[in-house]
Every structure is written in structure tokens, then in C-alpha cells.
Amino acid sequence: MSTMNFKNIKSWISIALMLPVLAVAQKFNVSGTVKDGANGETMISAMIYTEDGNYGTATNAYGYYSIELPKGTYTLLFNYSGFATLSKTIIVEGNMKLNVELAAETEEIDVVVVTGKRNTDNFKKVEMSTIELDVKKIEKIPALLGEADVVKAVQLMPGVSTVGEGATGFNVRGGGVDQNLILLDEAPVFNSSHLFGFFSVFNADAVKNVKLIKGGIPSQYGGRLSSVLDIRMREGNKKKVSGQGGVGLLFSRFAIEAPLVKDKASFIIAGRRSYADILAKPFLADNFSDAKFYFYDLTAKVNYDINEKNNVYLSGYFGRDVFAQGFGFNWGNQTATARWNHIFNNKLFMNMTTYYSNYDFKIGVGNQEEGGFQWKGNIKNYSAKPSFTYYLNNNNTIQFGGQSILYEFAPGESEFYAEGNKFDFSQDDRFGLENAIYIGNEQKIKKGIILKYGLRYSMYSYLGPSKEYIYGERSSITESRDTLKVKSYNNGEFIKTYFNPEPRFSAKFDIDSVSSIKTSYNRMSQYIHLMSNTAASTPLDFYSPTTNNVKPQLADQIALGYFRNFGKNLGWETSVEGYYKFLQNQIGYIPTAALQLNDYYEGDLYYGSGRAYGAEFFVRKNQGKLTGWLSLTLAKTEVKMDEVNNGDYYNNRFDKPVVSNLVLNYEFNKKYEMSANFVYNTGAPFTSSSINYGIQGVSVSHNPANVRNNARVPDYHRLDLSFTIHGNEEKKNGNKKLWHGDWVFSAYNTYARRNAFTVYFENENGEPQAIKYSIVGTVIPSITYNFKF
Amino acid sequence: MKKIFSAIAIVFSLTSCEDVIEVEVSDGAIQLVVDAFVNNLAEPQVINLKSTKQFFDEVVQEAFIADSVYIKDDLNNMYFFEDELNDGNYTWDDSVLVHEGRTYALMIKGNGVEYSSINFANPVPDIDSLNWEYSPKTIGAENGGYLVELVARDLIGQADYYWIRFKKNGVYDTRRAGLNLPVDGSFSEESMADGQLFIPPISTFPMFNVEDSLGLKDTATYEIWSLTEGTNGFWAEVLNQSISGGIGALFATPTANVKTNIISTGTELKDQAVGWFSTSVVSSKTIIIKEKEGEKLSFPLF
């Protein structure tokens, strides 16, 4: 009857005292790494979210995540395309570590049926103007000579184009080939292709993830105006020895990976080599019989998980293109990266990267005794890059850090040998130092609105012992400037310094559960400039630093897009995105610009501005037997220089008003698969004389207003097909085979269209004639055998 | 660079090709072309005035009708040129026009604008003689023909710029590849060939095909025209305009305009002129090819 005694009162008081504490819910961090169960590879951009959808995050470039949850019980879902969603029930009472491994989806599970797995990346992520591909997606695209090609896959996406076969780089949203920051495990690569654009330097066997950011570039990236192509290598199988490769008509590749310490350390080495020259020997004319032309590359990585808080990685790339026929001509990139990840606590993650990168070319014949010459050039950089991620709370993730890059430019070192003597015609080396610090935050305002904002502050100094060249005026618009003075500096002296604040902003607003609007603004600066006045950039083009004459290039880009998914399980992705980019301090050249082996090349340059704008339409089907995408870009890119075309805007060399790509992949069954891609784009512009006249019977061409790019080559279109026969992965008794292989039959340029690369004129006998030169004028078939063990 | 091109060409030789195509080029501004190469020979001097034409238009250049065209020398002599037929060919044939050592100014009035230019008449060496010899075949000509050699020596002292021209049966060779522009006895001022005899390839007419080859009874004329350094530079830029085709097109830069020494008082693009004014002293020698009458060539045939 009377339960009110002292003990009860004490309990009531304790409960009463606890109420305020209970009202402030305690929050804790759950963090860890997400890995592929088959080989221990960390998974980039894997999604983690609570079943109720209230909390979510993604893994970073190192597979690491941190999610803040109030005290309680949750079912956490781990999701990655192509893998079975993993479900873990956890009780959150304090900070906790949760490392998981995902299992690949087996063929039997119909993708459509798996609950909770909706294809939402398209509209849920705040990132816009971004294309992310994992290797499985890249392997499905038919490529030249049967090899999956990272850069070719990126070129099939909206907003990306090239001037044609033979171009060593690609253009993003109307930007030049040097305006793309191409990173392989954080180290920059300067020439992304082998054999004049036919193959990329990235061996798909060693690549884990590819991300192309065309706009709304986050504050941790800087140094190029138009895009970031961030390529991450695989670490190497941490569980067992495995390998893969392919043998083809013109080249082969092989990759091997294995654990050094099971589940803790591993390595991967992948190499490729072409041998077209050896096979073609019997077919070549006598004067070419000792010719060599081939490429090779080697990609390698070693990594070690020291403990729960520390990982180290060492990766490198070495590749070369070689031409030789009595003389040698070769070029290539080398990179070496060392990285250390350190987890301070479950809120603060750090990555410390240092790298060395070198792109060089070399031409030479003969030697000092017999006569000849040698000419080489390179660009080297050394850099340190600390970057931090601070998971402040569920609504705010802060990134901050910095970068310092020391540049050495050797535009051309050349020696001529005659009669036992050596004559030096080298250009002086030049030096620069680029520094940056950045801070940014990704903030969830409320359900359905995410803002990402930040500031990167960069500065660049032109350093001694470079020389400072001071120029006067030009006597006419097509002449070089007069050199007034050349000043020498000591090692490390600062000649000229520039500062550039670069604000970055992007935002996403959900309209409903299947669509969103995204918008972004970024300001980018670029301190190195590719000097190229030829039809397309070539391996001999050199990089100029920013100097007292050549100012940093700047770009401001705004973008706005609408993203929506349709269909069962949202398997159809669509988007339409518009952008406008204004560029400053763009470089042009006088008609007779002498860029090679000329210390006074700065006197041959014009400066002006540019603008690029366009609309990108994209539809992609990700599920079912028939998958693929259609991309259409309508765009314009123009340049304006006082001395050219009366100071009016004129077409940029890579302006393509219409670029469209259709990629289709059909899986008949487990064994047979077919894919096709059809590419159509407007022909690239080129500079043509617009006038001619006769003098004393000789025909002379003329360009009255010093116009550029006033004509176009014919339109470009091409169909590629490929057919794959997959080998069985299992033996008749159901056990896994030791190794299995696929046969790939492909045809590049199936209807043998002679797409023009450039047009030149012959007017020897009176009337001029236009002649188009096509690099690929036939169909190129190939057969490749790919194997995996 | 040619070797690099041919090396790269082998990679693409199995796949690449060239085709003639139609190209649309946006129109350029039409301007006056002044073709004014006058000399000291006792023959009518012609200044040709025409309009330029659009690059691919297969039309004849239109004649330019000027209000007046005259040349004045530094002794105040005036030479008025007339175009009787209104075909753009302005002629003077009253007396010898060019005299060595004088400076000449060209004045053209027309179109509401005045065009002017200046040039100087440099000396030229006499031609000693012409030798000729039959050659069964030679570089560039698979059929036999008579090779005709010019025997003359560069003037000693200053740097001399010449234009050596050849006429077969009274018709000038006008091929770009036939432009023969020596400096002293060689091709540049620094070459130590001052005062030297002309040697091949300067002293022989290049025969590239059957039409050029010379046979019995053909008339061959060599003319040495004196040029100023500027005129030599003009022709060098014309020669520079040929672009390498094929794989060389990958490395091609935009065609550069050829310079002009015609100045216009007009400010707009359409009032500017292209072309060149040159005053030359010419020495000339002609022979009729008769078997066994020529002196043998001074250089061995093979």
C-alpha cells in the first residue's frame, strides 16, 4: 500500500536528475575502412547509410569513412555498385571502429530485386559535372585493339572531346589539352597517351577508380583551368597471388599482384609493350627495314597497413614511346609517389603525399665523332601535399591542407656535332615555385540541401636562376617583339610573384525523391603553359612557366544542372547541365612563331581572353542485359586577341559545336557479350588562307585580317564494334578454375571512314587544292586473348 | 624534321591516307595586288594592277582601274604608265626606265587612296657566256635534254642579291620550285662566296619534267636581275609558303602572309595593298641550241 519509502524517492530523484542528460543525446563516431572481400582492395566512394536513411556518408579516396550517430541501435548498410549490399546491426554507445569487406554480387542475384539498393548517385551526391568510373564500367567499352582504355572511356562522356586521332590530349568544356590536371595516385602526368593518342598511358589492369571533374572543382584541387582527372591505382591483392593480362595482335600486357603480409601488405606490378614494328618488318619498304616504333609502360605499387592508424603507399609509373630509324626519337612520363595516411582520431584523417614527376622527350642522331645532333627537353616537378579531413559532425565535413610544387623547366637542350666539334644551341632552364593552401566544408543544411564551399589561395613565383626577358613593342601585329633587356638572377631569387584567391562553391537541392538541381561556381588558376602552335599538340611541345611576361591563366566557371532518375529501381540516369566559362590570359602565337630552341619565344606570343559555353545532355541505363549511354554536347569555345581577326572572337582550334557518343553493351548470357560505340562530332577548325593572288606568275596565299581557324575539316564519325566470348570461371564440378580467359574480337572504325585530321593546300600550278590528311583511313580489326588467375 | 616525319609515317602508313576535298572558307577582304617588277631593258615595262581573289574561287583576278600610275626617279624624271585595254596592265615604252644607281618611287592613285613604294637599282654582272651539252638523263628528268649553264661571276665587294630567270623559247619559267635567288655566289651573305663564279644548282636551269627539257633549235635565255635585300626577302617568304603535306601536316603551323613594300594612305583593310615593287638592272644572254656548237659544261655530268 505505501510504496512511497525513501528508496523510491531516491530512484525518482535519480531519474529526474538524469532527464536533462538524456535530453542532450550523446553522439559518437563510427569509422573504418570498406574493402573488397575478394582481394582486400579499399573501395572508393562506397556509400554507408542507416536503414532509415537519416544518416549517410561515403568512403574517401583511401576507403575510409567516419559517420556520426547518436547513441542507439542502428542497421548500417554498405553499398557499392556490383557488390551485394552489406547490412550490419550495431549498438552505438561510444566511438567505434567498424571495418567491413563486401562480397561481389553473384550472377544469380537479379540486381533489380535487392532491397534498399537504389541507383541514387546521380541525384543524391552534391558533386555535379563529375564522371566517376570503376574499372568494371571501363571494361565494357569497345576500344582500339581490344584493350580497355581509361582515357577513351572518359572521351565518350559529355563535355569531353579531342581534335581527332593523332591528338595527344583531350579537351574538357572547351579547354586546351594542358588545362586538365591528370593525376595518377596524386602525381601529375603530362602526356596522357601513347602513339599520338591511340592508347592511354594508364594500364587498366592497375587502375581502381577514375574520376573526371569538369566543373564545381573542390578546393583541394588546383593548378589547371578546365578539369581534374583523378586516377587511383589498385593496391594489389592482399589475400592471394593473382594476375591478369592479354595477348593481342599488336601488343600485350601482364599484371601480377600478391600479398607481402596477408591482409596487411601487398604489391602490384603491371606492364605493357607493343611489338607492331617487329611484326610489320616484312611488310615495310627497304628504307624502313631497320625502323623501330613501339611503346611500353610499367605501373607498380607497394603498400603496407602498419597498424589501425597508419598506412603507407609507394607507387610509380614509367612509360616510353620510341621511334627509331637511323636516329632515335622517344618521349614519356615518369612518376613516383610516396604517401602516408594517419588517423589521429575518429574525426581527423590525414594524407601526406610527396611525389616526383617528369615528362621528357629526346631526339638524336649520330655522335660527336661522326657528326649529328641531340635535342631533348623536359618538365620536372617535386611536391609535398598534406591534406586533412575533419569530420566535424554529420552535417559538416571539413577539408583543409596545402601543396608546394617546385618546377624545373628545360624547354630544349640541344647540341650539334660536326667535324669533331660540339656546338651548343640549348635554351636556358627555367624554374618556378607554386604554393597553395585551402579549406572547404561540405555542409548538409537540412534534408535535401547540401552546400560545398571553400577557398583555395594559390601563389606562384618565377625563380632564379631563370633569366628575366624584357620586351618592347612589336613593329606590326605579325612581328616578334624587340628584346630590350635580359637580366640574370641567382639561385632561388624571386623574380616575379603572383597571388590568386580561388573561391569554390557548389550546391544541391532535392526537388523530390528522384531528382535534384545542382549549381556550382569555381575560379581556377594555372601557372604552367603548353607552348604549341601546330595543328595539334605533339610530344615535342614544351611547357613554359609563368614569368614576368606570361601571366597565370585564370578561369571562372558557372554551371547549372538538372538530374533525374527514372524507371524500376531508378535504373535510368538522366541529366542536363549547362556551363559558362570565362578565361583570362590565354596565349596565342604570331604566324611565324619560332617556339623551339628559342630563348626569346616570349616575344612571339599574343595574350587575350577566351569563353566557352555549352549544354550537356546525358542518358544512361545501368541495369539489365542492355546497358549503355547516350551523351550529346552542344558547345562553343572561342578566343579573342587584339592582334588577330581585328580583335573579334574567333574559333578555338578545338571548337566542336556538336559532339555525341552512343555506347551500348549487350550481355546475351554469361558467355557472350557484344558492345558498340558510335561517335559523331563536328570537324575541328583549322586556319586557311582566305585569299590568293599571282606575282610574276607565282601563286601566293594570303590572310588579310590575320584570321585563325576560319575553316573546318569535314565532320568526324566512327563506329566501333566488339564481341567477347567469356571463358568459364568454374570447372564442371563447380570448383573455381585456376585461371580463365576471354576472347575479344573488335573492329575500330568499322565502316572505314577516312576522318580528316588536318587539311593542307597545294597550289603549285595555279589553283589551290585542299587535301585532307587522315590518320586512320581504314578499319582496324584486332583479336585479343585476356586471361585472369 | 623530314626524317622524323618519315619515321612517324611508317606507323601510320598502313592506316593513313590523303584525299582531295571541298572546303568552305569564310571570305577575306579583297585588296589591290601590285605586280611591279621593272628593269633596264629596252622593252615595254609593265606594271600589273589587279584585285586579289577568294582562295578557292576559280576566277581570273579582276583588273584594277587606277586614276594614275607613275614612277619618279631621284633625278625628277617622271614615267607615266597607261592602260589602253583596261586589263590591269599599265605600260611604259617610251624609253629605258631603270638606270643603275638611281632610286625610284612608285605612285598609284585610285579608289580614293594613294599607294606608294620605293626601290633601288643595284648593279649586276655581265654574263660571260652560256654553255650547253646534251645529257641522256639527269636528276628530275628521266628523258634526255640539253643542259644549259650560265657562266658569270658575282660582283666583288658588297653583298649582292640576284634573281636568275630562265626563258625557253621566249617564255619565262614561273614555277615556284624554279625560283633561283642567289646571294653573292651562294645562298647567304655569310657564305664567303663573294666574287665567285656561279656554280650548280645556281648556274643550271632545273628540269623537273618532260616539258622543260630543251632540244635542238630551242632558244634558251638566261637573265640575271639585280635585287635589293628586301626583294630577296619577299621571294624567300613566297618560297616559304609551301606546306609539307602528309604527316608533315601534323606539325604544320598556319600559313604566314608574304610581306609587301606597297604603302597605302587608306586605313581600312580593303584599302591596303599586297605585292611588290622592284627595280632591277638585267643582264641577259640568249642562245639557240645547235648540236656540237656549245662549249662543254664546266662541271662533270656524272
Side-chain angles (χ1 to χ4, degrees), chain A residues 26-140:
Chain A
Q26 281 193 281
K27 291 194 182 170
F28 303 101
N29 275 71
V30 178
S31 59
T33 323
V34 178
K35 292 187 180 178
D36 180 341
N39 53 26
E41 289 282 347
T42 55
M43 305 187 84
I44 301 173
S45 300
M47 304 289 284
I48 302 112
Y49 46 95
T50 53
E51 202 168 28
D52 57 14
N54 286 329
Y55 304 96
T57 188
T59 55
N60 69 8
Y62 299 94
Y64 179 80
Y65 74 93
S66 177
I67 186 170
E68 188 191 59
L69 298 170
K71 181 165 168 170
T73 306
Y74 300 92
T75 303
L76 270 188
L77 297 172
F78 295 82
N79 183 354
Y80 192 90
S81 165
F83 287 77
T85 303
L86 180 71
S87 168
K88 282 250 182 234
T89 305
I90 53 171
I91 302 168
V92 176
E93 289 175 318
N95 292 326
M96 58 188 283
K97 200 88 190 168
L98 179 59
N99 296 323
V100 299
E101 292 189 350
L102 301 189
E105 250 159 20
T106 53
E107 302 294 330
E108 283 79 27
I109 297 179
D110 186 351
V111 169
V112 173
V113 169
V114 173
T115 32
K117 186 192 183 77
R118 283 148 55 96
N119 184 9
T120 58
D121 287 359
N122 186 33
F123 59 89
K124 278 236 162 287
K125 288 182 164 171
V126 67
E127 283 171 341
M128 66 182 304
S129 319
T130 299
I131 297 157
E132 194 159 354
L133 296 171
D134 58 55
V135 181
K136 284 198 174 62
K137 288 207 177 81
I138 294 168
E139 279 166 359
K140 295 217 177 288

Side-chain angles (χ1 to χ4, degrees), chain A residues 464-745:
Chain A
S466 313
K467 294 206 174 73
E468 185 185 9
Y469 294 82
I470 299 171
Y471 295 90
E473 294 306 311
R474 11 176 77 94
S475 50
S476 83
I477 59 176
T478 52
E479 297 292 304
S480 308
R481 288 181 189 272
D482 296 322
T483 311
L484 296 181
K485 191 159 132 191
V486 178
K487 214 171 140 191
S488 296
Y489 285 81
N490 295 321
N491 211 329
E493 241 186 294
F494 285 71
I495 303 172
K496 177 109 180 140
T497 302
Y498 299 88
F499 299 90
N500 282 302
E502 301 175 31
R504 313 284 178 88
F505 173 78
S506 52
K508 174 197 77 116
F509 307 93
D510 281 348
I511 299 176
D512 55 30
S513 62
V514 295
S515 64
S516 62
I517 284 188
K518 302 185 197 175
T519 184
S520 67
Y521 162 75
N522 63 20
R523 148 66 65 111
M524 310 294 293
S525 58
Q526 177 164 336
Y527 300 106
I528 66 173
H529 320 276
L530 184 65
M531 299 279 106
S532 169
N533 62 340
T534 50
S537 68
T538 72
L540 299 178
D541 294 331
F542 68 93
Y543 279 86
S544 169
T546 292
T547 67
N548 54 308
N549 299 302
V550 182
K551 299 200 178 67
Q553 294 181 49
L554 299 172
D556 291 293
Q557 185 188 165
I558 53 171
L560 177 66
Y562 174 67
F563 300 77
R564 195 196 159 99
N565 281 24
F566 293 89
K568 193 157 66 165
N569 246 65
L570 302 178
W572 287 83
E573 267 177 50
T574 65
S575 64
V576 52
E577 197 173 321
Y579 66 90
Y580 183 88
K581 185 157 55 177
F582 181 67
L583 303 116
Q584 295 174 59
N585 301 327
Q586 300 298 285
I587 295 171
Y589 311 93
I590 64 172
T592 51
L595 296 180
Q596 264 74 30
L597 296 179
N598 177 12
D599 277 324
Y600 302 93
Y601 68 87
E602 290 164 278
D604 289 356
L605 306 181
Y606 301 133
Y607 305 103
S609 58
R611 66 182 180 198
Y613 47 91
E616 297 168 4
F617 303 89
F618 188 64
V619 176
R620 175 154 65 179
K621 180 176 190 281
N622 287 319
Q623 294 158 353
K625 283 189 181 240
L626 177 68
T627 55
W629 68 82
L630 172 63
S631 86
L632 174 67
T633 307
L634 305 173
K636 193 101 194 99
T637 161
E638 302 171 300
V639 191
K640 185 160 93 120
M641 315 243 157
D642 288 341
E643 300 91 341
V644 178
N645 200 33
N646 295 321
D648 293 331
Y649 271 109
Y650 61 94
N651 290 331
N652 210 327
R653 177 61 177 95
F654 33 82
D655 173 56
K656 294 204 163 191
V658 178
V659 175
S660 66
N661 303 296
L662 174 65
V663 177
L664 295 173
N665 185 282
Y666 188 74
E667 289 179 20
F668 293 89
N669 50 40
K670 258 168 79 170
K671 201 170 162 76
Y672 300 111
E673 189 178 338
M674 180 159 163
S675 52
N677 52 278
F678 179 70
V679 167
Y680 171 86
N681 47 55
T682 325
F686 68 98
T687 303
S688 165
S689 301
S690 46
I691 291 290
N692 73 339
Y693 56 91
I695 291 273
Q696 297 291 296
V698 182
S699 181
V700 178
S701 312
H702 197 65
N703 193 337
N706 196 23
V707 297
R708 294 273 191 285
N709 302 328
N710 53 337
R712 269 187 200 277
V713 306
D715 289 349
Y716 180 105
H717 48 91
R718 185 189 91 230
L719 174 69
D720 307 323
L721 295 173
S722 84
F723 184 74
T724 308
I725 303 176
H726 292 287
N728 282 325
E729 285 187 37
E730 286 166 11
K731 296 198 256 213
K732 289 211 169 77
N733 58 16
N735 291 337
K736 269 205 105 108
K737 277 170 99 162
L738 204 58
W739 61 270
H740 64 271
D742 302 334
W743 284 95
V744 180
F745 302 87

Side-chain angles (χ1 to χ4, degrees), chain B residues 147-160:
Chain B
L147 287 180
V148 181
E149 178 195 16
L150 166 73
V151 181
R153 184 183 293 271
D154 169 49
L155 297 169
I156 298 174
Q158 68 289 347
D160 302 294

